Structures are given as structure tokens and as C-alpha cells.
Amino acid sequence: MSVFIIAEAGVNHNGSISIAKRLIDIAAKAGADAVKFQTFKTENLVTKKAKKANYQKKNSNKDQSQFHMLKKLELTPLMHKRLLSYSKKKNILFLSSPFDLSSIDFLNNLKLKIFKIPSGEITNLPYLKKIGGLNKKIILSTGMSNMNEIKNAINILVKSGTKKKNITVLHANTEYPTPIRDVNLRSMLSIGKILNVNFGYSDHTLGFEVSVAAVALGASCIEKHFTLNSNMRGPDHRASLEPKELTKMINAIRNIEIALGSSIKRPSKSEIANIKIVRKSLVASQDIKKGEIFTEQNLTTKRPGTGLSPFKIIKFLGKRSLKNYKKDQQIK
């Protein structure tokens, strides 16, 4: 099954419908399976006195409150509908992460097939119950959480009505950008093994090498932020891929998918012709007369591999030759 790649536009539209459409264009052209935005009503998400995260302070006006910053990044209901329609036109799945209860209802009314739960909501009981009750496919990010918190969230979703097989859990780190030393990618495998759940990776590192590594380890879903330009003003731009980088990442992931192949070790179609050229056959290391005893001194192995396998040498050692052999002649 192909890796599900989410191109995370997030709030990198900076409140502009035209930028949001350009991001959809880029995601579709790059070959992503879905483009994802964020749905929230600022008044329902954050108090007016809430502080920004350090990475938000670095990449936006540090004197603004989190409330003020997010208010400028809201997508209106009409903008959602226009972007959903535009995504369908571009043949890419439209997704959005709801950040409050009313946003869950709104996205459900838009008939979204998949609900993406952001890391900050993993301990939000009313939120999890509401999404779980929709019985949709769910992608759950797990930044800042431990295994027990993830397990509790999954249990709530399942008890509320979602089938476990429809839940994909993404390992994540919510620092933007995530330092390589803090990625801890092996914990993605622990999530899958311990919780017996589909797993993937939400990547906030610079570049995309960790996303490719996650696919090589078995991730079924990759989420990665992207932007028009990483130097744009806004909280997430600097930790996002630019258009050409997004394309390179997706191409690399698709190549890794092909390279992973099956679990069966056998010669590939492309190398079968090399077997006779590269392998060796049992040959005479010197002239051998009829009736002469075969020894390790008068037998050797040389290319090409069109004769007897060198493994057959034990059947000849100590026995008499039934014919004359010239040096380098294959033994029969």
C-alpha cells in the first residue's frame, strides 16, 4: 500500500485565499495525496492573554499575543468551501485539522473523509469523544506525549465509535524546527508495535531526510509543512519546505517505496542475466589426463558460471577423471 503523503499548508497561507490556492497547486503538482489546512475560531481556541511558543516569537511579531497572531490566520467558512472546491478541481484531497469543537462540526458538514487531530488535542477528552463519535478515518499526531497518553487517546476514540483499524498514529515533535537530536524516530516503531496501530511521522525538521528514513522504517503516512517561500512572515514558514523541496521529498519517498520491494530474497529480473557472467564454474587448473585423480591442485573455479557450480567440487575430489581436460576447460 502506498505511503499517504500530506502536504501541510497549515497557516502558511497567511490569511490569503490566493496564497492558499497557490499552495494547493504546488501540493497537487508535487504529487501529494492530500493538502491540509487548519480550522479554528480563535475565540474558541486561545485566551487573549495566552503567550506564543518561542518558535512563534522568532517567526512573527514577538509583541503580538498568540490570539492576535491566530486571528489573522483564520480561514472563514466561505474560504474553506472555496478551497475544498478548488482541491477537487486539482484532484487532491482537502484536509484540515480542527482545533475546537465547533470546527469539528463544521468540517464534518463539509463531509471530510479523514480527520487529522493535532498534537495539542491529544489530552482533550471532549474533543476526542466528539471526533471519535463521527466514525471517520483519523490521523492522530502525538507531539509532546508519552505512550500512555497515546494509548488513552486511542481508547477514547475507539470507545466513542471509531474502529481502531481506521486510526493512524503519527510520531511527532512540536518544536519548529525540530532538532535532529530530538527526533527519536525509533519511537515511531514502538508506537506501532506496542499499541498495534497504523503508524507514520509528522516531520517538523529542516529538510526531508527524516521523512524518507521514516518511510524506509515502515511509516504508512508522512506529513510535512510546505510554503511558497520559507522567508515569508509567519509562525511556520521557516520550518517548511519550499516547492522544489516538496517535490524532491515526494519523489524520494516514492523511490524508497519501490526500493523496499517484497520480503522475499531472490534474484531480480535485472540481474538474472549477470548470474552466468559473474558466478564461477568448476574448471581444470591444469591439463588433466583421463584416469588421473581429481585434487584441489588440479581443480579450481573461474568465470563464467555456465558450467558446474563450485559446490560440486566435493563430488569430484578423490575420483578419477573419465576424460582428458585442457587447462581452463569446464569440468563435466
Side-chain angles (χ1 to χ4, degrees), residues 42-239:
T42 308
E43 289 82 358
N44 297 335
L45 175 60
V46 62
T47 65
K48 292 185 177 181
K49 294 183 178 180
K51 296 181 179 180
K52 291 180 180 178
N54 287 332
Y55 77 87
Q56 293 174 333
K57 292 178 182 178
K58 291 178 183 178
N59 303 332
S60 60
N61 189 336
K62 64 180 181 180
D63 295 325
Q64 286 182 349
S65 65
Q66 187 180 160
F67 182 96
H68 190 266
M69 176 190 73
L70 291 174
K71 193 64 182 174
K72 291 184 175 181
L73 299 174
E74 276 187 24
L75 290 173
T76 66
L78 179 60
M79 291 170 78
H80 277 82
K81 293 175 182 178
R82 290 173 64 185
L83 294 177
L84 174 60
S85 177
Y86 192 74
S87 296
K88 289 179 180 178
K89 180 180 177 182
K90 293 296 179 176
N91 199 30
I92 187 170
L93 186 65
F94 174 89
L95 298 178
S96 191
S97 292
F99 283 78
D100 56 76
L101 299 180
S102 62
S103 294
I104 295 173
D105 288 330
F106 174 71
L107 292 178
N108 189 43
N109 288 334
L110 290 183
K111 302 188 185 306
L112 264 62
K113 296 180 179 179
I114 301 173
F115 272 74
K116 167 67 199 307
I117 299 176
S119 293
E121 308 304 323
I122 199 165
T123 58
N124 188 341
L125 181 60
Y127 177 102
L128 295 173
K129 282 185 173 181
K130 192 173 187 68
I131 285 189
L134 300 177
N135 191 22
K136 298 288 184 76
K137 288 186 177 181
I138 291 175
I139 299 173
L140 172 66
S141 275
T142 60
M144 307 173 292
S145 63
N146 58 44
M147 197 66 74
N148 192 51
E149 289 172 329
I150 302 170
K151 182 179 179 180
N152 287 341
I154 292 172
N155 287 340
I156 292 167
L157 293 171
V158 171
K159 288 180 180 178
S160 299
T162 298
K163 297 178 178 65
K164 190 176 182 181
K165 67 178 182 179
N166 288 335
I167 300 173
T168 299
V169 179
L170 303 187
H171 171 54
N173 182 299
T174 57
E175 181 64 10
Y176 290 65
T178 300
I180 291 295
R181 65 179 179 274
D182 290 341
V183 170
N184 193 22
L185 195 55
R186 286 194 179 97
S187 68
M188 177 188 74
L189 300 179
S190 297
I191 289 171
K193 183 177 181 180
I194 295 172
L195 302 179
N196 189 28
V197 71
N198 300 321
F199 62 87
Y201 180 57
S202 180
D203 186 8
H204 299 137
T205 64
L206 294 176
F208 57 81
E209 59 190 2
V210 182
S211 285
V212 175
V215 171
L217 287 173
S220 64
C221 178
I222 294 293
E223 178 183 68
K224 183 70 176 179
H225 280 261
F226 75 107
T227 179
L228 298 182
N229 188 316
S230 59
N231 291 316
M232 290 175 68
R233 195 73 172 166
D236 297 343
H237 291 288
R238 290 187 185 178

Side-chain angles (χ1 to χ4, degrees), residues 266-280:
R266 58 188 173 192
S268 69
K269 290 182 179 179
S270 63
E271 68 178 347
I272 286 176
N274 295 332
I275 293 176
K276 292 181 179 180
I277 297 171
V278 176
R279 288 186 176 178
K280 295 178 179 178

Side-chain angles (χ1 to χ4, degrees), residues 293-324:
I293 294 175
F294 288 118
T295 68
E296 291 182 351
Q297 285 68 47
N298 61 18
L299 293 178
T300 189
T301 60
K302 289 186 180 182
R303 292 177 177 178
T306 54
L308 290 177
S309 166
F311 270 110
K312 301 289 186 179
I313 191 171
I314 58 176
K315 292 186 177 182
F316 290 87
L317 291 175
K319 295 181 179 179
R320 294 187 183 276
S321 175
L322 300 178
K323 58 181 288 188
N324 293 327

Side-chain angles (χ1 to χ4, degrees), residues 4-41:
F4 187 69
I5 301 176
I6 303 171
E8 168 71 81
V11 294
N12 284 343
H13 50 75
N14 285 4
S16 165
I17 187 72
S18 62
I19 292 178
K21 285 185 174 181
R22 287 174 65 189
L23 290 170
I24 292 171
D25 289 337
I26 291 166
K29 185 178 179 181
D33 296 295
V35 60
K36 191 178 81 66
F37 294 88
Q38 295 179 6
T39 303
F40 55 87
K41 187 68 176 175

